[in-house]
Amino acid sequence: MSGNNQKSGCGCNKLAPTEDAPVPSVSRRNLLLKLGAGLNALAGLLIGVPVFGYVLSTFSKNSPRTWVSLGDLNHFPEGNTRLAVFQNPVTKPWDGDTNEVPCWVRRVEGERFQVFAINCTHLGCPVRWFQQSRLFMCPCHGGVFYEDGSHASGPPPRGLFEYQHKVEGGELKILGGNLPTLAEPT
Amino acid sequence: MFRSLALWFESRLHLVKVFEATAGHKVPPSTNSWFYVFGSGTLLCFVLQIITGICLALVYIPSTSEAWPSLQYLNNQQFLGAFLRAVHNWGSIFMVAIMSLHLVQTFLFGAYKYPRELTWVSGCILFLCTLGMAFTGQVLRFDQDAYWGLGIGASIMGRVPFIGAQLVHLMLAGSIIAGETLSRFFTMHVFVVPGMIIALLSLHLRLVLTKGINEYPTPGRLVSKESYENEYEEAVKKTGVPFVPNVIGKDLIFSAFLVVAIVTCALVFGPAGPNGPPNPTLIHTAPKPDFYFLPVYAILALLPAYMETFLLLVAPVVGIAILVLLPFYSGTGEKSYRRRPMAVVIVVLAFLTVGTLAYLGTFAPWSPQMEAWSAAPTPVDYIKNRSGLELQGALLIQGKQCRNCHSLNGEGGQRGPALDTVATRLTPDELIRQVIQGSGNMPAYGKNLSPAEVSALVAFMGTLRPAYQPPARDSTQSVRLPPKDLRATR
């Protein structure tokens, strides 16, 4: 029955209806169905677009980077490499300890610095500095880096990530704000 | 009275019909087998995870600043909190394990073949969802391992070409691991993935009803698209027995055994972690993944660096495609594992690979032992009757962190070879070259050791051999001896 009705309902055949009643109601039902489906598609877009926009809002290439201070220059004696901690520039009230980010500061001489990310370039584990052998070692898969951050041995594909830095008003500042990865090294 | 009440409900709900179409549906009697209990076992684990998960969510706070204290509260103050955390943890381990057995059993019994392709596909996606639950769950236990585990996840995402940075930001809900990251994983673990699992599970079970459960395969009985469904239907009509009550007994026994096993493990081993607080400035940590991801952790240490990104990004996609599409390129023919030797070989190889990698992952010989240089004692025998220079070398081997990667008398790292018998393998010249230039997995110490230090180090290593074994010899020496006057000074 429904098959027949649909045929006549689409209006392509000008067959006389076999019975008088059903035809107009069927085509009306069809119209309502299409209208209903169309309205729902529209409604779906109305909700779907904002939902996707909300969920994918962080799917962007840029991370907000700001100059943050690592403290007074005198904290970093020449020829030494020391752990420093900075506040992530973007914070939320419930960040807890996670907004404090560590990094390694090497003061080569005078105002020449190198600031390395704590994250191993292999898979992001925290590398540790060994003053005696002047090496960074990673506890996860055994990556090793020289004191200038270059790759010494093990699986890491490159040397340590370096932050851009500058000396301003007697303070060492770095451009912080993102977790360095191979896709976004600084 | 009881009967009339039952009839009243029956007349409204048609329970008998529902029962006949579901739990009471007819199955081939051959499926009344202990090999067929893993599916229901996995389901049981899932139900257990939902119940314990809801309980934990009553107390747990998905906030970066309060998750760790709330886990401590669960462990130490909440009545039975530690027990429920332990059950949730062991439930997840058992769920992954039993689900793997279910996968292997259906693979070996040819259950994925025509007409049960969709059952297999939905099962594979369920398996991936379960691993997703395992990873996100490990993050919710927001401790040091979770924090650095997120860093590892981000590092892997960062290797994706073109959209790596975007994916990292999407995963972390921002550009660093912070406030919103945990909320994101909480949402995945508690709402999104369980919702997907419930939906897929409904499909999976619906397919078991519409396409029937795979009969116990008979060697030599081939599946063909023309005749299989008719044969199956006829066989079920003729000899089929209702799943409830005839077949469910073994499932029930296995499920009860599983509950006992999970509870026992929970009582004996207790909850997992949390370990140190998720404070990124506490860098004296060696992050390690949970049990399920140990093989991945291991393979990332052992692969040559040049194929790492490829294998991280491409191999999982190819592997999953091969698994999911299995019924579409091997959908007919022999079902029994007795006549599918390659299937058996694949399973054995997969178990050996995953097992070996997981075993290596548990003690991670590739990781330097960060405290060995200052903590591991120098064996007394190695410093007895040694010259001052050699003793200085013994000090340097500690002080320059050599032992973080090289062991002496079994103590120290295993990243490099043990040095106990190094003098039998390398001549002094070779030792000097190795120390100064490094090679393979050893960094070059040329810049970090003075010539005097190198001499001391090599002098000490020259003594590291058993008395009964001669030192390594330069193979060129017998051919090209140095002039006499030089030889005298050596």
Side-chain angles (χ1 to χ4, degrees):
Chain A
M1 160 128 183
S2 68
N4 276 341
N5 285 341
Q6 260 171 8
K7 240 178 210 169
S8 48
C10 81
C12 22
N13 288 332
K14 291 197 175 157
L15 285 173
T18 45
E19 317 227 348
D20 33 14
V23 177
S25 78
V26 164
S27 68
R28 191 176 135 177
R29 186 196 294 159
N30 220 329
L31 175 75
L32 287 179
L33 173 72
K34 280 181 182 162
L35 189 68
L39 279 175
N40 272 284
L42 197 70
L45 277 181
L46 223 55
I47 297 296
V49 170
V51 164
F52 266 89
Y54 177 90
V55 171
L56 296 179
S57 61
T58 56
F59 187 83
S60 85
K61 204 168 163 49
N62 306 316
S63 35
R65 262 162 282 184
T66 320
W67 289 102
V68 286
S69 174
L70 295 181
D72 197 273
L73 281 190
N74 298 326
H75 292 164
F76 309 105
E78 275 188 45
N80 277 341
T81 299
R82 290 210 167 161
L83 191 71
V85 173
F86 65 92
Q87 292 281 320
N88 188 53
V90 184
T91 54
K92 306 236 162 46
W94 62 96
D95 275 344
D97 293 334
T98 56
N99 65 6
E100 295 206 321
V101 185
C103 60
W104 289 109
V105 178
R106 174 187 183 216
R107 186 167 190 177
V108 188
E109 52 173 359
E111 294 202 346
R112 268 183 60 216
F113 284 90
Q114 275 187 301
V115 185
F116 303 112
I118 196 80
N119 307 89
C120 180
T121 53
H122 181 226
L123 287 170
C125 290
V127 295
R128 260 183 256 176
W129 167 248
F130 288 93
Q131 178 70 36
Q132 298 81 359
S133 50
R134 312 197 80 76
L135 293 172
F136 294 97
M137 292 189 193
C138 177
C140 283
H141 297 106
V144 183
F145 305 87
Y146 293 118
E147 65 175 330
D148 64 352
S150 57
H151 173 252
S153 73
R158 51 159 284 166
L160 286 175
F161 299 120
E162 265 189 74
Y163 290 106
Q164 284 183 51
H165 64 273
K166 65 179 179 187
V167 176
E168 206 177 64
E171 286 189 355
L172 178 63
K173 291 185 171 177
I174 61 164
L175 203 51
N178 80 308
L179 177 79
T181 55
L182 289 175
E184 211 181 357
T186 52
Chain B
M1 165 70 193
F2 227 58
R3 194 181 144 75
S4 65
L5 197 66
L7 284 175
W8 187 88
F9 273 107
E10 166 58 23
S11 71
R12 268 91 192 153
L13 295 168
H14 301 290
L15 289 173
V16 171
K17 253 190 203 161
V18 172
F19 175 80
E20 277 171 1
T22 55
H25 75 292
K26 287 199 169 171
V27 295
S30 64
T31 62
N32 189 357
S33 148
W34 287 109
F35 284 112
Y36 280 67
V37 299
F38 302 125
S40 62
T42 312
L43 178 61
L44 172 96
C45 292
F46 180 59
V47 172
L48 205 58
Q49 291 304 86
I50 291 184
I51 295 170
T52 51
I54 290 174
C55 292
L56 294 180
L58 292 174
V59 173
Y60 178 77
I61 306 173
S63 136
T64 15
S65 58
E66 282 167 298
W68 195 78
S70 74
L71 290 167
Q72 295 292 355
Y73 178 86
L74 268 168
N75 269 4
N76 302 317
Q77 273 158 290
Q78 167 65 43
F79 179 60
L80 291 179
F83 175 69
L84 279 183
R85 281 200 67 230
V87 172
H88 199 64
N89 180 53
W90 282 98
S92 77
I93 292 173
F94 271 82
M95 185 167 171
V96 172
I98 303 299
M99 194 178 224
S100 305
L101 289 178
H102 184 48
L103 177 81
V104 168
Q105 185 266 327
T106 47
F107 175 65
L108 286 179
F109 281 40
Y112 58 88
K113 296 197 180 218
Y114 178 87
R116 300 187 182 86
E117 302 92 340
L118 270 184
T119 323
W120 174 263
V121 172
S122 56
C124 288
I125 304 174
L126 278 167
F127 189 82
L128 296 176
C129 285
T130 305
L131 289 183
M133 290 300 280
F135 181 73
T136 51
Q138 186 182 311
V139 171
L140 295 200
R141 190 179 66 226
F142 201 60
D143 55 12
Q144 275 182 330
D145 279 358
Y147 180 88
W148 296 107
L150 282 169
I152 292 172
S155 300
I156 294 175
M157 288 290 179
R159 290 176 181 237
V160 176
F162 309 118
I163 52 164
Q166 289 93 321
L167 287 176
V168 171
H169 298 161
L170 184 66
M171 176 190 157
L172 300 181
S175 48
I176 72 160
I177 302 164
E180 280 175 63
T181 316
L182 183 60
S183 309
R184 183 145 298 202
F185 278 81
F186 181 77
T187 309
M188 294 303 281
H189 188 80
V190 174
F191 299 109
V192 180
V193 185
M196 285 164 65
I197 290 182
I198 290 170
L200 281 162
L201 194 57
S202 312
L203 175 70
H204 198 69
L205 293 178
R206 169 85 195 142
L207 284 163
V208 171
L209 293 177
T210 54
K211 290 294 153 192
I213 189 133
N214 187 37
E215 74 285 355
Y216 200 103
T218 315
R221 203 138 150 221
L222 305 184
V223 177
S224 86
K225 287 191 182 173
E226 290 72 39
S227 58
Y228 178 80
E229 280 196 282
N230 284 335
E231 284 169 17
Y232 182 84
E233 265 166 42
E234 259 169 50
V236 168
K237 226 178 250 169
K238 231 190 268 168
T239 61
V241 290
F243 177 67
V244 178
N246 291 35
V247 182
I248 198 176
K250 286 183 175 133
D251 292 271
L252 289 177
I253 292 170
F254 182 67
S255 292
F257 164 78
L258 267 182
V259 174
V260 172
I262 291 171
V263 169
T264 307
C265 284
L267 287 173
V268 173
F269 300 104
N275 61 18
N279 182 334
T281 63
L282 304 174
I283 61 160
H284 284 244
T285 173
K288 220 173 193 189
D290 276 0
F291 146 87
Y292 348 85
F293 297 109
L294 280 177
V296 183
Y297 169 69
I299 204 161
L300 287 171
L302 301 172
L303 280 177
Y306 66 88
M307 58 164 72
E308 207 162 52
T309 298
F310 176 79
L311 270 161
L312 265 176
L313 302 178
V314 180
V317 177
V318 174
I320 290 167
I322 290 175
L323 191 71
V324 171
L325 298 178
L326 178 66
F328 301 103
Y329 58 83
S330 167
T332 53
E334 182 63 52
K335 266 188 181 176
S336 172
Y337 61 91
R338 287 165 191 274
R339 299 216 178 160
R340 286 164 58 223
M342 277 313 288
V344 179
V345 169
I346 288 170
V347 168
V348 171
L349 278 182
F351 264 100
L352 282 178
T353 312
V354 172
T356 310
L357 287 172
Y359 168 72
L360 285 172
T362 52
F363 63 93
W366 48 80
S367 296
Q369 293 198 0
M370 299 298 215
E371 277 78 38
W373 66 287
S374 51
T378 309
V380 176
D381 284 347
Y382 293 4
I383 46 176
K384 251 187 205 164
N385 305 325
R386 297 290 189 259
S387 71
L389 186 67
E390 288 158 358
L391 287 177
Q392 205 189 339
L395 279 178
L396 281 165
I397 236 174
Q398 302 288 139
K400 293 290 180 181
Q401 280 91 27
C402 303
R403 285 189 75 180
N404 285 14
C405 292
H406 295 282
S407 70
L408 285 179
N409 207 12
E411 281 187 84
Q414 294 171 44
R415 175 107 188 134
L419 295 179
D420 302 272
T421 59
V422 69
T424 65
R425 298 192 301 269
L426 298 175
T427 65
D429 284 350
E430 287 168 330
L431 281 170
I432 291 170
R433 194 215 60 78
Q434 182 66 29
V435 168
I436 290 180
Q437 296 183 355
S439 74
N441 276 325
M442 179 163 165
Y445 280 78
K447 279 189 234 162
N448 306 335
L449 290 172
S450 70
E453 286 174 324
V454 174
S455 315
L457 206 52
V458 171
F460 174 63
M461 285 195 284
T463 68
L464 293 179
R465 63 181 174 88
Y468 54 85
Q469 251 180 301
R473 240 167 13 117
D474 190 339
S475 58
T476 58
Q477 261 185 2
S478 55
V479 193
R480 253 184 38 203
L481 288 170
K484 260 208 175 130
D485 49 332
L486 263 182
R487 223 188 308 167
T489 61
R490 272 176 99 104

